[in-house]
Structures are given as C-alpha cells and as structure tokens.
C-alpha cells in the first residue's frame, strides 16, 4: 500500500550524462516505508555501505558496518520513527530514516548514487523537520559522505562523534 506519496522534482541538469539522470526527474517519488520494504531497504543499506564507503574504509570495515543491526534494525526504524523511500516506478532506489530533527540514516542504491536521489531525500526530510517546528537538522555523517553534506549546507558540530563519523547540523528554520 502506498501512503503519503510525493512526486520528485527535476533533480538534474538539462544535459544529463546518463539515462538514470533523464529518468529520475520524471519518475522519482517518495512514500513512507512499511514492513514489506524491510528486505529491500536492508539490501540497499548493505550495498551502499559496501560499495560507496570504500574511499574511507577497508572492505572488512565496510562489511562489518553493513552487517550491524540486520533487518531488525530496519524494522525498528519503520515501527518507531519515520522512514521515507525514494522509488523509480516500483523499484526503491534510496531511503532515509528520521527521528524528530535527526537524520539517522541515508542510503542510496549504488547505481542511483550521485543522481540526486540522496539530495531529494534530504530536502524532503529538511522540509518535514522545519514543518514540525524544529530549527536544526542534526546527523552523524560517515566520512565518505561529509562532502555531500557540506555541499547541502551542513556544518560540522563542535563535538566529534567518533573517528568514523562527523556530527553535523544545519539550520532549517528560525
């Protein structure tokens, strides 16, 4: 069942370099995740971590991170917080986990990475966070994603999360 569907907007330049860029603006939509999505969301999380984090992690470190929490972690997120998926037709290509004003996770399928899916999910979350009266979005960025968040206007927070994550924040209201 599709709930709360939002259609994507044009996310790419007028001269796209791949067929995915052409496809994204017309067909990307967002909806709340449900329990039937758990396996797909877990698979996207694993693939994103294993393939996209290797600029800052070894294969062994990426594999350990990808396995952490299993599908029960995704089930808990859907039951407790807000999980939005981005889909092209019937195929989920990314998802975002949000709790209050905190982005708890953002994962994009590697073939869809760097085509505006993550940016669109972040912008949607920022809008929802601001609409709920929060002034800041907070998150912990993996090292490979810090540049992505900096480009979206996030700044490192005063405190460091760990050697593998950077606390970041962005003002969205007030």
């Amino acid at each position: 069942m599709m709930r709360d569907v939002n259609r994507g907007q044009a996310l790419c330049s007028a001269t796209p370099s791949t067929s995915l860029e052409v496809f994204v603006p017309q067909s990307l939509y967002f909806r709340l995740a449900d329990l039937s999505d758990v396996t797909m969301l877990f698979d996207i999380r694993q693939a994103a971590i294993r393939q996209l984090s290797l600029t800052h992690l070894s294969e062994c470190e990426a594999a350990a991170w990808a396995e952490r929490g299993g599908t029960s972690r995704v089930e808990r997120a859907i039951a407790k917080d807000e999980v939005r998926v981005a889909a092209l037709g019937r195929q989920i290509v990314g998802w975002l986990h949000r709790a209050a004003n905190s982005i708890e996770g953002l994962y994009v399928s590697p073939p869809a990475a760097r085509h505006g899916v993550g940016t669109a999910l972040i912008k949607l979350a920022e809008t929802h966070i601001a609409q709920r009266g929060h002034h800041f979005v907070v998150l912990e960025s993996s090292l490979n994603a810090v540049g992505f968040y900096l480009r979206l206007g996030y700044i490192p927070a005063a405190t460091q999360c760990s050697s593998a994550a950077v606390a970041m924040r962005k003002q969205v209201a007030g």
Side-chain angles (χ1 to χ4, degrees), residues 10-56:
L11 303 174
C12 304
S13 69
T15 56
S17 60
T18 70
S19 62
L20 183 63
E21 287 180 322
V22 172
F23 194 54
V24 169
Q26 292 99 22
S27 302
L28 187 69
Y29 71 93
F30 310 97
R31 64 171 174 81
L32 288 170
D34 60 45
L35 292 176
S36 70
D37 298 319
V38 168
T39 301
M40 177 59 69
L41 300 186
F42 180 72
D43 290 348
I44 289 171
R45 180 180 179 273
Q46 282 203 317
I49 292 170
R50 289 173 182 262
Q51 295 177 40
L52 303 176
S53 68
L54 296 179
T55 57
H56 291 80

Side-chain angles (χ1 to χ4, degrees), residues 30-169:
F30 310 97
R31 64 171 174 81
L32 288 170
D34 60 45
L35 292 176
S36 70
D37 298 319
V38 168
T39 301
M40 177 59 69
L41 300 186
F42 180 72
D43 290 348
I44 289 171
R45 180 180 179 273
Q46 282 203 317
I49 292 170
R50 289 173 182 262
Q51 295 177 40
L52 303 176
S53 68
L54 296 179
T55 57
H56 291 80
L57 298 175
S58 70
E59 285 186 36
C60 184
E61 291 168 321
W65 175 24
E67 292 298 326
R68 208 171 299 138
T71 56
S72 62
R73 176 185 184 152
V74 180
E75 290 170 347
R76 282 191 306 275
I78 291 170
K80 180 181 171 222
D81 300 319
E82 181 177 286
V83 175
R84 298 252 171 203
V85 301
L88 292 170
R90 299 184 80 152
Q91 181 182 0
I92 297 173
V93 294
W95 62 283
L96 181 139
H97 171 197
R98 181 183 68 81
N101 70 323
S102 177
I103 294 174
E104 299 291 313
L106 171 66
Y107 304 98
V108 175
S109 174
R114 295 175 185 83
H115 294 286
V117 174
T119 299
L121 282 163
I122 291 290
K123 297 293 184 187
L124 182 63
E126 289 172 352
T127 299
H128 288 188
I129 288 167
Q131 287 172 345
R132 285 159 180 77
H134 298 286
H135 297 283
F136 289 92
V137 177
V138 296
L139 57 85
E140 293 180 7
S141 174
S142 57
L143 297 178
N144 64 293
V146 169
F148 167 76
Y149 290 112
L150 288 171
R151 285 188 299 279
L152 293 178
Y154 286 79
I155 58 171
T159 58
Q160 182 70 17
C161 300
S162 71
S163 61
V166 176
M168 301 186 85
R169 63 188 278 162

